[in-house]
Amino acid sequence: MFNAKPFGLQINFNSGMINGAKLSQRRLSDMRGLYADSAALEQIISTEGDRLVYEVFAADLPETEGNILYCTTVIQPGQVGNEYHMTKGHYHARRDRAEIYVGIAGNGQLLLQLEAGTLRAVPMGPGTAAYVPPYWGHRTVNTGAVPFSFFAAWPGDAGHDYGAIAEVGFGKLLVAHDGQPVLIDNPRR
Ligand code: M6P
Ligand code: ZN
């Protein structure tokens, strides 16, 4: 049996990055099918290149019951069409597992959705401690002009289920309207 050893990693509270963590990067090409305006996404890739959307800096821990996993996420500012840069979004494979987010730098929103359709948005900035209850799918969106970063912690056996959101998306989109974030109905649902 694996026994994790005690350790401490350093979070940079300006950049949101964690020194010595496992890095995953999501670029526009990893986000195909997730933005409402897929033509705008392809247009950016062919003219500007495969832009970085967000990075996850994760503590290297076993994904097993009893552990608590943690990471930071740094979402670059930007839009695809009028939709803001966002994470893919997921439900927990074990739906009854919760999660905690703490805003580090920049501003954004946490979108949460129950599978039956109920949707909530929680504004996030530095110091916001947001709760993702069991059963709520979750996605974060950078609505500002600088990188939006936050810390997350969740049960080791929760797992990530991307399928449901990749297929139909969230019920609402966060779009820029006269430079302000507005929630609109997802035209694909
Ligand atoms: C948060 C946590 C992570 C998640 C990351 C990126 O930090 O919820 O578990 O991986 O956001 O979100 P996603 O996996 O949906 O791309
Ligand atoms: Zn999660």
Side-chain angles (χ1 to χ4, degrees):
M1 204 183 92
F2 182 90
N3 286 306
K5 294 190 176 65
F7 62 88
L9 298 176
Q10 200 59 40
I11 300 175
N12 182 316
F13 273 58
N14 296 309
S15 67
M17 296 173 184
I18 303 183
N19 226 348
K22 267 191 315 184
L23 171 63
S24 329
Q25 295 189 316
R26 300 280 191 213
R27 297 183 173 276
L28 274 186
S29 59
D30 301 310
M31 303 295 286
R32 285 193 167 105
L34 293 168
Y35 287 100
D37 192 345
S38 50
L41 184 145
E42 298 304 333
Q43 169 84 12
I44 299 167
I45 293 177
S46 58
T47 56
E48 293 170 30
D50 197 4
R51 193 204 268 173
L52 179 66
V53 181
Y54 64 101
E55 294 174 299
V56 176
F57 298 84
D60 194 4
L61 286 163
E63 299 192 14
T64 53
E65 185 182 359
N67 281 298
I68 298 174
L69 307 182
Y70 74 87
C71 72
T72 60
T73 301
V74 181
I75 309 175
Q76 294 302 313
Q79 290 171 217
V80 175
N82 61 357
E83 204 175 353
Y84 292 103
H85 275 185
M86 61 189 181
T87 59
K88 289 185 167 202
H90 61 271
Y91 288 90
H92 290 153
R94 294 196 62 156
R95 294 287 197 270
D96 62 352
R97 297 313 198 230
E99 186 158 357
I100 292 166
Y101 284 176
V102 180
I104 296 174
N107 286 90
Q109 294 200 26
L110 165 61
L111 294 184
L112 305 109
Q113 181 172 289
L114 288 170
E115 280 173 295
T118 309
L119 192 131
R120 291 282 181 276
V122 177
M124 284 190 66
T128 307
Y131 189 58
V132 178
Y135 300 101
W136 289 80
H138 37 289
R139 156 180 287 167
T140 41
V141 185
N142 185 347
T143 54
V146 299
F148 166 47
S149 56
F150 62 96
F151 172 88
W154 67 99
D157 61 351
H160 290 75
D161 177 0
Y162 293 101
I165 289 166
E167 278 157 32
V168 283
F170 265 62
K172 298 212 185 260
L173 313 178
L174 252 180
V175 301
H177 187 78
D178 295 333
Q180 291 303 313
V182 178
L183 271 179
I184 61 161
D185 286 337
N186 183 348
R188 292 185 301 168
R189 278 183 125 232

